[in-house]
Amino acid sequence: MTTQLFHPHVKVNDVASYGYGVWLKRLDAKREKWHIMGYDPGVSFHSAYYPQSETIVTVLSNTSDGAYALVQAIELLLLEKGIHT
């Protein structure tokens, strides 16, 4: 079941595909990001797993677009610290 969940079923573009409810994004030749996200007026969330480093980042926000910007900032910090997301 896990293999089916994380298997790309729909190709979105050259770097992103969609599994069963999970976005699968190739960051470069060695790194991937598996993530889910969602929002409604006044709330948003973004949760990502980076299988190569076994890192999880989850952000909940009380604004409609706040979660993704914070995830991007965390990803930059992790790269700076040498944790290859």
Side-chain angles (χ1 to χ4, degrees), residues 2 9-10 17-18 24-26 29 32-34 41-42 45 48 51 59 68 71-74 76 78 84:
T2 304
H9 294 282
V10 176
S17 298
Y18 199 66
L24 310 168
K25 185 175 181 183
R26 188 176 65 247
E32 293 180 342
K33 173 182 178 179
W34 304 344
F45 84 97
V59 175
Y68 184 64
V71 167
Q72 288 179 311
I74 292 169
L76 287 174
L78 291 172
H84 301 288

Side-chain angles (χ1 to χ4, degrees), residues 3-67:
T3 302
Q4 284 297 313
L5 180 71
F6 293 107
H7 176 78
H9 294 282
V10 176
K11 183 177 179 177
V12 177
N13 57 37
D14 290 339
V15 297
S17 298
Y18 199 66
Y20 285 143
V22 180
W23 287 99
L24 310 168
K25 185 175 181 183
R26 188 176 65 247
L27 300 175
D28 60 29
K30 296 181 181 179
R31 298 176 305 134
E32 293 180 342
K33 173 182 178 179
W34 304 344
H35 63 104
I36 58 174
M37 59 194 158
Y39 71 95
D40 274 322
V43 296
S44 62
F45 84 97
H46 189 107
S47 186
Y49 175 66
Y50 308 88
Q52 288 70 29
S53 64
E54 297 183 345
T55 302
I56 297 171
V57 173
T58 299
V59 175
L60 305 172
S61 174
N62 62 352
T63 64
S64 299
D65 59 357

